[in-house]
Amino acid sequence: MSSIERPPIGHALVEFSLHGIFPEEDVSSRRILVGDLAPALDSLGAAKSKLESEIHQINEETAEDVNQWVANAKSLEDDVNRSRTWANEIVRRSEAPDVSGKTIQEAEERVEFLQRETIYNRQVHDALQNIKHVNELLDQVEQARDERIILDSLHLLEKSWSALDTVSVGKSCRVMKLLDLRAFELKSSIHDVFDHIWNSLLRVDVENSTVAIFESLQDEQMKLSDAVIGLKAYKEVDQRMALLWHSLDEAIVGHRTNFDAPQMPGVQRENSSLTLTWNGSTDRTVASLFSDLEQVMAYLSERLPEELVHALSNVMMPDLVPRIIGIWLDTAVPASLKEMGEFQQVTEAVNRFCDTLRGLKFSGFEELQEWVGNAPRVWLSKCRETALDSIRLKLAQGLGDSKEVERVETQTVSKSEGKGLAANGTAPSGEDNGWDDAWSHEAGPQGDKDAKSESNEDDGTDAWGWGEDDETDPKSEIPVQQPLAEPPDEDDPAAAWGWGDEDPTEETVEETQPKTTSSKQNAGTRELTLRETYRISSMPEPVIALISAILEDGASLVASDGNPMGAAAAGLFSLPTLVLAMFRAISPYYYALDIGGNMFLYNDATHLSERLAELSVRWKASDDLTPRAIAMLRLDNDIKSLQSFATRAYASEMSTRRTVLRDLLGGSQNLLQQDGLGSSDLEAQVDNAIGHVRAMAAAWSEILSKSAWSQAVGSLVDTLASKLVNDVMDLAGIGQDEAYNIASLIARITELDDLFLPPGAPKDAIPATAEYASSWLRLKYLSEVLQSNLQDVKYLWLESDLSLYFTVEEVVELIGLSFVDNARTREVIKEIEFNPQPRGGN
């Protein structure tokens, strides 16, 4: 057998020399030949060279430390030898004392030095011992980490940090830096192991909507209850619980609390895990939601340590509770008392859920408990929100189809007023068809004279303005449904808000009584039931229905004892005020989107006030209501506010239209003195103004009652007439051609008389324009004056009715504008001034 095939004797010798490994029997029992010695020596030489290289490398790597230690050891050895020499010297001198003081001092200094050296050496020894102890602790930490004993490694690491603090060596020392670095690296590596074990104990699969929490695992020595110590050591309790909640929410809770999900999942517990089921059997009730959430909470409370349950509550409840309240509970609040039974079931389910959370050691759900305690207020807020939203939504849908309504009122009127009502087209009820016959036995010549006189006095009276003293305010515009007192100054900003609307009305009422009494004495009176129709939009009926439903719910709460929502009764009775306030606040915007919207708003607000007044009367007279429910209804101020609101809507519309008319007629400039405009241009401006009046008359005819329409259109006609009259009076002079042109413009304007003729009226019918436009006859007489000579003007003043519509000063001024100043002119002026009231006054 060759040497190559023989067992390696050299290798056996090297292993025995280095590691003490005895060779196998086949090697140790064989005979060694001379030829085996050379390879064996080569192997030993190679091992020797390798060992020397390793020693040399180690020496090079530790040369600095070794040299330092050698230097320290040599220094220490020198100190020990020096101390021994000094000790021998002291012993020698003690045996043969030297009486020299210098020698004694040197001996004492040496003793002190030795004491200091001894203390220093002891400190060095203690520091080295502490360093050795810290290093041994870190070795144990590393071993525990490798064995995945996390708690032991953390305890040992904490001990090593405490021991490291006791080492009496500066932190800048290299050995201390090395120990600190090693401790930090061990802490990081332990955290990685801890993180792996934590993720193994708490598994959240977001894609599959599954959560599994384990107390311990077979291949892991750390339990979930022990993990709390690790979380505290790394100060990660809150962070880990926040991550757990977000993962749990994304996997299970978020899907279950999503009310708008196409399909509502259910929560199911399978062995040691929670999962979502999508079988479609889960309903969207609050009770079902709380049932599934109780499963989730019970699972967490059972699987997590109590300390982690508290920490999880701190991050989970501030997110979960508002979501439950905002998405599920608030939507479950009914807007009507009829659904209160289901709402009570919801509050009971919330109470049970809170009790369950309390028993499972969860906290932070006080807001949920407060929601239950404030159930009456929550329900009232829902009622308020629903009511206001319904008003907003209804207005946003537009005014809808208009509806004709009838206003019926019975008043005591005089014969002349009754005839005026018939002339205005306001129909009395069927039992009053024989109006003229009823008065025939009383009407003699004197009666006819009185009636004519009273008719002249009451030219401004309309079908609904009984007893109003029009002589005191000839320019007043008072629509029929609600008396309106427009201020004399049309640009007064306070008028837009309707301030002081009640006072003029009260004054009118006070002035009505003596006039009515006078009529009874002079001409007799009779009760008359008048009916007049006008149109409203689709808004008033839903508002009335909503207010009625709210009041009925309030009455039911007041009448039922022990109702949990009873505390909301007072607030429920205040909702009509809020509903009407919302209507008044936003309706002008939506009504303005339609043509004639402000007039619809006037009609609607007036109709609402009347219906609410009727509702209030019926409510107070009802025998089915409790005294407390009757006393809690307070609609009087709301009715007044609606009446004032209607006033402002009408006044705003009329102010706007009058402004438009004035702008069409030159605005603040004199219509007849505009630079660069010829007669054709003036005619075009007047035609535009007339067209605007006719357009508004056509639009309002589909909305307002006949009398209200007459007043509104009459106000526009009066604006047109007064503008032209005032512009003529402001001229410096009027020539013959200019007078003709002005008369032509007036003739165009007076064509508006056809608006105030009843349908099918004969050609000789007298229009009622002058009853609603106080400047109308003034405009016509102005045209007569401009087309007359001095004799005709004198006749108009002395024999006709010119003095009823113009003052002496105005007529004298017109004569001065139109005629040359001569003896004849001065004579006519003198006669006019001598007879200031030829017709007996106005």
Side-chain angles (χ1 to χ4, degrees), residues 743-820:
S744 176
L745 295 178
I746 293 176
R748 289 175 178 270
I749 295 175
T750 54
E751 292 177 1
L752 291 174
D753 267 334
D754 61 358
L755 293 176
F756 294 89
L757 288 172
K763 294 183 178 181
D764 58 348
I766 300 176
T769 315
E771 295 183 14
Y772 304 101
S774 59
S775 300
W776 190 246
L777 293 179
R778 189 174 157 85
L779 178 68
K780 288 191 172 184
Y781 274 103
L782 175 62
S783 178
E784 294 289 335
V785 171
L786 293 177
Q787 300 178 76
S788 301
N789 54 33
L790 279 173
Q791 190 64 29
D792 292 338
V793 173
K794 176 182 175 182
Y795 172 80
L796 290 174
W797 180 262
L798 297 176
E799 304 298 333
S800 186
D801 294 333
L802 179 61
S803 62
L804 298 178
Y805 304 101
F806 283 88
T807 64
V808 174
E809 292 78 9
E810 289 174 335
V811 173
V812 170
E813 184 179 355
L814 280 175
I815 294 175
L817 294 176
S818 304
F819 299 96
V820 178

Side-chain angles (χ1 to χ4, degrees), residues 329-543:
L329 298 184
D330 287 348
T331 56
V333 179
S336 173
L337 201 60
K338 298 177 181 179
E339 305 172 0
M340 191 52 62
E342 298 180 1
F343 183 59
Q344 291 180 359
Q345 295 177 3
V346 171
T347 57
E348 292 173 0
V350 176
N351 280 326
R352 288 194 300 270
F353 183 64
C354 291
D355 293 339
T356 301
L357 291 179
R358 193 178 298 106
L360 295 175
K361 307 300 182 183
F362 283 93
S363 59
F365 51 90
E366 292 79 9
E367 186 178 354
L368 204 57
Q369 294 173 304
E370 292 176 359
W371 187 89
V372 177
N374 296 330
R377 187 172 64 184
V378 172
W379 177 69
L380 182 61
S381 298
K382 182 59 175 289
C383 292
R384 179 170 57 248
E385 179 183 348
T386 304
L388 299 182
D389 280 345
S390 66
I391 297 297
R392 283 193 293 264
L393 291 176
K394 183 62 180 175
L395 284 171
Q397 292 171 1
L399 301 185
D401 297 331
S402 62
K403 172 185 176 183
E404 186 177 272
V405 294
E406 185 179 54
R407 186 170 189 263
V408 180
E409 187 164 337
T410 301
Q411 288 287 348
T412 302
V413 298
S414 65
K415 179 180 178 181
S416 60
E417 290 173 331
K419 290 184 177 181
L421 293 173
N424 291 335
T426 304
S429 61
E431 64 272 12
D432 295 321
N433 289 337
W435 173 264
D436 290 335
D437 295 338
W439 289 93
S440 60
H441 65 282
E442 299 178 5
Q446 183 64 35
D448 291 340
K449 181 179 179 180
D450 294 340
K452 182 178 180 181
S453 175
E454 186 168 342
S455 176
N456 290 335
E457 292 175 1
D458 295 334
D459 285 339
T461 304
D462 57 78
W464 298 94
W466 298 300
E468 292 179 4
D469 192 357
D470 291 316
E471 292 84 340
T472 59
D473 187 9
K475 295 184 180 180
S476 63
E477 303 176 42
I478 306 178
V480 295
Q481 290 91 336
Q482 174 64 33
L484 299 180
E486 292 192 15
D489 184 2
E490 296 168 351
D491 296 327
D492 183 5
W497 296 97
W499 293 330
D501 289 332
E502 294 80 10
D503 295 338
T505 304
E506 293 175 359
E507 292 174 2
T508 302
V509 172
E510 292 172 1
E511 294 170 2
T512 299
Q513 186 60 36
K515 181 174 181 181
T516 304
T517 304
S518 175
S519 298
K520 287 182 180 180
Q521 295 173 353
N522 296 334
T525 59
R526 182 182 179 187
E527 281 193 358
L528 183 66
T529 300
L530 298 177
R531 300 177 184 274
E532 193 167 38
T533 60
Y534 58 95
R535 303 194 73 84
I536 60 173
S537 71
S538 61
M539 273 305 300
E541 296 302 328
V543 173

Side-chain angles (χ1 to χ4, degrees), residues 481 626 821 840:
Q481 290 91 336
T626 62
D821 185 12

Side-chain angles (χ1 to χ4, degrees), residues 305-327:
E306 184 174 345
E307 194 168 355
L308 294 185
V309 171
H310 288 299
L312 181 61
S313 298
N314 294 334
V315 296
M316 176 175 63
M317 293 303 175
D319 186 15
L320 179 61
V321 170
R323 187 190 309 172
I324 294 175
I325 293 175
I327 298 178

Side-chain angles (χ1 to χ4, degrees), residues 816-830:
L817 294 176
S818 304
F819 299 96
V820 178
D821 185 12
N822 53 31
R824 177 58 182 159
T825 302
R826 289 193 292 271
E827 181 182 352
V828 171
I829 292 175
K830 185 176 181 180

Side-chain angles (χ1 to χ4, degrees), residues 148-184:
R148 306 178 74 84
I149 308 176
I150 302 301
L151 292 183
D152 290 348
S153 62
L154 290 176
H155 287 308
L156 290 171
L157 187 60
E158 186 176 359
K159 290 177 63 177
S160 66
W161 282 331
S162 300
L164 195 59
D165 292 336
T166 61
V167 177
S168 57
V169 179
K171 297 298 181 180
S172 59
C173 181
R174 186 169 183 271
V175 65
M176 296 298 292
K177 291 181 179 179
L178 292 174
L179 291 175
D180 279 335
L181 178 61
R182 187 182 180 191
F184 178 77

